Amino acid sequence: MFTKVVIGCPTEVIEKRKARIQEALDIKFTDPKKPVKYVVDKLDDQREVFFLKPGKEYFRKEPNLNDMSPNVGKDYENFKFADIWNLLCRLYNVISLDNYKKLSALIYRMAYLFDFNYVDKKLRFVPDEEVKSEIAEIQREIDEKNLKIDVISFLHFLDVLSWNEDVKYHTVDNRPDFTIAGKRKNGRINTLLSCISVPILFQKFVDEVLKCEGKKEKIDFSVIIEVAQKFAKTRGVQPLSNKELIALFSPYLTN
């Protein structure tokens, strides 16, 4: 499962994202206090991958009228980005580096809709046998370490979460819009690349602290300060460059 990094945002990726945004916009509800459940997929154990529409941001003072709440079964109720980063930081410190690299490559592939095909005219996450095998290998180690994390459920959740982010960032006049070239990575791509990048940046600081154990005066705080400064500017979106991602996750991400 070796994946070439993507330069920019190719037209075919934009068209796929447009199709999914339109699908989300077509979900209708009559009473916002009674959200509509829209099932996207079902896992082998019959857990549903779904949206509730409208989501919480619909009820804000400045409402996001197209917001939805994504979930898989009841696995991710009230899940926040901090919970995603925490989950990935835990995995980084428990499973093998090789399997963590594979998981990161899978999330990268999801950002650009690599493993998606049309099913009944709707774009869905349909990994091939090679990708399924890699997911199963990661899951085996997670189970051996007694972590209560289901990889396929997590990947499906990241899909619907980032799908909702695309709807929020790229809907204009109730239709998909990617006309501003510099903002095409906003939404799905930057969200998922940040899911890969942020835990690595936090881990870098943890490693710095451990290196300086007993010598607090030698800790280089610039690592975490730089992360905090970028968060303040970007509202939590902080994707690493392709070059940095390749250095971290080679051989599974390549030029």
Side-chain angles (χ1 to χ4, degrees):
M1 188 189 66
F2 303 112
T3 305
K4 287 188 176 183
V5 295
V6 179
I7 307 301
C9 187
T11 301
E12 59 267 29
V13 176
I14 291 174
E15 291 306 311
K16 288 179 178 179
R17 294 166 73 192
K18 282 183 177 179
R20 298 193 105 202
I21 293 169
Q22 189 60 58
E23 182 181 347
L25 294 176
D26 288 342
I27 304 170
K28 305 301 180 185
F29 59 90
T30 54
D31 183 351
K33 294 182 180 179
K34 297 178 181 178
V36 170
K37 185 177 185 179
Y38 184 78
V39 178
V40 174
D41 209 340
K42 282 188 178 181
L43 306 188
D44 290 343
D45 61 6
Q46 298 304 302
R47 275 177 297 168
E48 293 177 325
V49 182
F50 66 92
F51 292 113
L52 293 178
K53 187 176 181 179
K56 294 178 181 178
E57 292 185 16
Y58 180 93
F59 301 97
R60 288 181 175 177
K61 187 175 181 180
E62 295 183 7
N64 177 353
L65 300 179
N66 295 306
D67 183 51
M68 303 178 291
S69 295
N71 211 334
V72 179
K74 295 184 178 180
D75 295 354
Y76 301 98
E77 289 182 351
N78 302 314
F79 227 64
K80 301 179 288 294
F81 283 108
D83 298 307
I84 295 172
W85 301 332
N86 182 53
L87 184 155
L88 288 167
C89 284
R90 285 173 58 209
L91 286 175
Y92 183 92
N93 285 281
V94 175
I95 66 174
S96 68
L97 179 58
D98 193 62
N99 272 338
Y100 191 83
K101 286 182 177 184
K102 289 179 182 177
L103 178 60
S104 298
L106 285 165
I107 298 172
Y108 185 93
R109 292 170 67 87
M110 183 157 280
Y112 290 95
L113 298 159
F114 272 72
D115 301 305
F116 287 72
N117 285 301
Y118 283 94
V119 178
D120 296 329
K121 298 182 179 181
K122 294 177 180 178
L123 196 65
R124 294 294 182 262
F125 179 48
V126 188
D128 63 18
E129 291 306 313
E130 181 186 7
V131 172
K132 285 181 181 178
S133 177
E134 299 292 7
I135 292 171
E137 181 181 331
I138 298 166
Q139 188 66 57
R140 277 193 294 273
E141 185 178 8
I142 287 173
D143 293 342
E144 288 169 2
K145 301 294 175 62
N146 294 315
L147 296 174
K148 303 301 181 183
I149 297 169
D150 183 70
V151 178
I152 195 68
S153 169
F154 182 55
L155 291 173
H156 273 282
F157 175 67
L158 292 180
D159 173 38
V160 288
L161 173 74
S162 57
W163 183 349
N164 189 49
E165 292 298 304
D166 256 1
V167 174
K168 292 196 289 186
Y169 277 96
H170 297 289
T171 298
V172 177
D173 295 331
N174 212 40
R175 61 181 179 80
D177 187 285
F178 287 84
T179 53
I180 302 176
K183 294 186 177 182
R184 288 174 183 164
K185 286 190 176 182
N186 290 357
R188 180 183 192 87
I189 294 175
N190 279 347
T191 293
L192 292 180
L193 295 189
S194 294
C195 287
I196 300 170
S197 304
V198 171
I200 292 296
L201 293 170
F202 287 149
Q203 187 64 43
K204 187 176 179 182
F205 180 66
V206 170
D207 292 342
E208 170 68 17
V209 172
L210 292 174
K211 183 182 74 174
C212 299
E213 185 178 5
K215 300 176 182 178
K216 292 188 291 185
E217 70 279 2
K218 293 189 176 182
I219 295 174
D220 179 5
F221 285 92
S222 65
V223 176
I224 198 69
I225 290 171
E226 184 178 347
V227 172
Q229 188 175 34
K230 286 183 178 178
F231 273 150
K233 292 180 179 179
T234 62
R235 299 175 64 189
V237 177
Q238 194 169 161
L240 294 172
S241 68
N242 279 343
K243 183 178 180 180
E244 290 170 311
L245 291 171
I246 291 169
L248 286 164
F249 302 119
S250 176
Y252 301 108
L253 290 180
T254 66
N255 276 313

